[in-house]
Amino acid sequence: MSKQKSGLGSGLPKNANDAEQSAQVELYNVTLAESAEQREREMTFGEALKADRRLIMYSIGFSGTIIMEGYGLALMTYLFTLEPFNRKYGVLTADGKYEVEYIWKVLLPLTAQIGSIIGIFVTTPCTKWFGYKWTTLLMLIFSATLIAMPFFAPNIMILCVGFFLQGIPWGVFQVVSPAYASEVSTIQLRPILTTWNNLCWVIGQLLSAGAIKGFSVAFRTEWAFRIPFGLQWIFTFLLAIGIWLAPESPYWYIQKGEIARGRQAIVKLVRKGDPSMAEEKLALMQHTIQQEHMKDAEIAQLGKWERIKLMLKGSDARRTEIACIAWTIQAMCGSSIIAWGPKLFENSGLDASQSLSVNMALPAAGLLGTLASWWLMAYMGRRSIYFYGLLVMALLLVACGGASYAPANVSGWAAGGVLTVYTMVYDLTVGPICYSIVSEIPSIRYRAVTLSAARGAYLGSNLINHFLTPKMLSAPSEGGWGLGSRTGFVYAVLCLISATYTWFRIPETNGLSARSLDILFQHGVSARQFNNATAAQYEQLDREKNTRLTNTASQNSVFSVHAVSSKAQ
């Protein structure tokens, strides 16, 4: 008979919560689960691609919500270069042009970021109650309703409130999309489907740049910016259809004890006509949940603040630090200049039309960079890509700053060319690789809390960018500091500081299992010495130590039995 095992161990539940957890995972075939895990490890990328076409399709559907977020956020900054938008919501400046005031240039994207932070906080209870699928559908409906506010906004105050409210579903999307991808994907596809979110950001930016450029040429009225707002209704409708057709994450059903519905979801994900694969995936998911509950048995008894305190002690404190700083680096390495590209080009000597034309090259370069990163990850480790990427980006930002000293008729085009190359390098290295690093560094028991803290650090850094970047890029007549493309010098210094941190603190995670990472962190191994060979050495030392402890315990047990026996006699 096949070996059977209860999902959550044995023993009677002590309370209602324990009873609920005990019902979450029924008996499952452990042998089948272990063989499924081994098969996934041995599967080539081509085999995984062929076997999981449906899984990829549904995961991409959820990731499409990130395209919508990237489109909306990019639209906010691109609009500041649009003359009809400035005429509608701006004020007349001393040089006779209409310009949106600096405070609103800060507040419009800032309020959207604050809304996203609120969205991140509401994601956990929403997904717990409704699941990933219905949470996303409800947020799409909410978003479709809110699009009307910027579309019909009579003044900039209403526009600001609309962006704030739209930020809430965007915050939910940026959590649900990678979570769904990581839960349904196989081992071979997980790096691609996780970093796919970065590509979706770039696609959204490219669509936004194209819409602004196209309609700015077609219309000289308010329709030049209202139609790009209205296009979001089309995105929402198409995404809602895709999400409606997708299955819920099987993990969500299994954790609730709804094994039959979990099996149905898996059948929709796996290759059609292959019931054996569905049973394997079901057993593997049950086995994974069982292991998670075993590892978190003690932690589950602690309160929220006790868990956070434990996360900030020992090796977990180091892991939390690395995850938070890695995501902060992604925000502070100069990537915010990409979003404000049109403003940089305009202040470097190009007119509004030329600025929007050059700006279209930025997301196109990012698209190529992200696609190339999938190839690069097969030949280089995460740490190396991150470190050398930051060094190259620092050089490019210095070149961008140097473009300000070129003749006026050349400066804008030079800054545009350098920033295009910078965007490609960013999306080849730091942009997508950051997602891999922050998802692999945390320990299993603190992964959710660590990622929340790291994402909070990223959003906090972006709030700083929303104040400083437009201030540095804008001309003094617009209330700025007039640095223009020399802003590159500031971020070049931050890139060098980030590269130094990466060299000393961020370890290599490529090819290391979660257990190997645990061993290396627990022994305080230097970031530059993280590899399988070092992990094997410390694993052997731990094994020898455990053997000695076991032998000592056995000897003490024998002595105790002998003493009891002698006393009885």
Side-chain angles (χ1 to χ4, degrees), residues 19-50:
E20 181 182 357
Q21 285 186 346
S22 297
Q24 285 176 351
V25 182
E26 297 179 353
L27 295 177
Y28 64 93
N29 190 320
V30 174
T31 303
L32 185 63
E34 291 175 347
S35 65
E37 185 176 22
Q38 185 63 28
R39 185 181 62 80
E40 277 197 13
R41 292 183 183 278
E42 296 174 352
M43 185 183 293
T44 65
F45 177 76
E47 291 171 342
L49 200 63
K50 181 179 179 181

Side-chain angles (χ1 to χ4, degrees), residues 44-116:
T44 65
F45 177 76
E47 291 171 342
L49 200 63
K50 181 179 179 181
D52 296 318
R53 286 194 296 266
R54 299 169 76 180
L55 179 155
I56 295 170
M57 178 181 66
Y58 291 129
S59 179
I60 289 176
F62 273 86
S63 298
T65 57
I66 303 296
I67 297 178
M68 185 175 175
E69 180 195 6
Y71 177 92
L73 289 174
L75 197 63
M76 293 180 196
T77 52
Y78 294 165
L79 288 171
F80 297 137
T81 311
L82 208 58
E83 194 274 333
F85 182 84
N86 286 319
R87 189 169 60 247
K88 172 67 177 178
Y89 299 112
V91 295
L92 190 64
T93 61
D95 55 4
K97 296 193 304 181
Y98 282 93
E99 189 78 28
V100 174
E101 293 178 282
Y102 167 75
I103 185 63
W104 290 112
K105 288 181 181 178
V106 172
L107 286 178
L108 289 179
L110 179 65
T111 52
Q113 288 290 333
I114 294 173
S116 293

Side-chain angles (χ1 to χ4, degrees), residues 435-452:
Y435 288 97
S436 293
I437 291 175
V438 298
S439 63
E440 293 169 339
I441 287 294
S443 61
I444 293 174
R445 62 176 59 186
Y446 295 123
R447 179 159 293 167
V449 182
T450 301
L451 289 178
S452 296

Side-chain angles (χ1 to χ4, degrees), residues 3 11 29 42 44 50 138 154 163 230 234 256 333 387 419 430 447 497-498 504 546-547 562:
K3 182 180 178 182
N29 190 320
E42 296 174 352
T44 65
K50 181 179 179 181
L138 290 173
F163 285 162
I234 300 176
K256 288 182 170 292
C333 66
F387 175 72
L419 193 59
V430 174
R447 179 159 293 167
I497 295 173
S498 300
F504 288 105
N546 290 334
T547 300
H562 179 70

Side-chain angles (χ1 to χ4, degrees), residues 125-144:
C126 285
T127 54
K128 182 179 180 180
W129 295 332
F130 307 118
Y132 294 125
K133 176 177 178 177
W134 278 103
T135 295
T136 305
L137 284 173
L138 290 173
M139 286 298 162
L140 283 172
I141 295 171
F142 184 43
S143 179

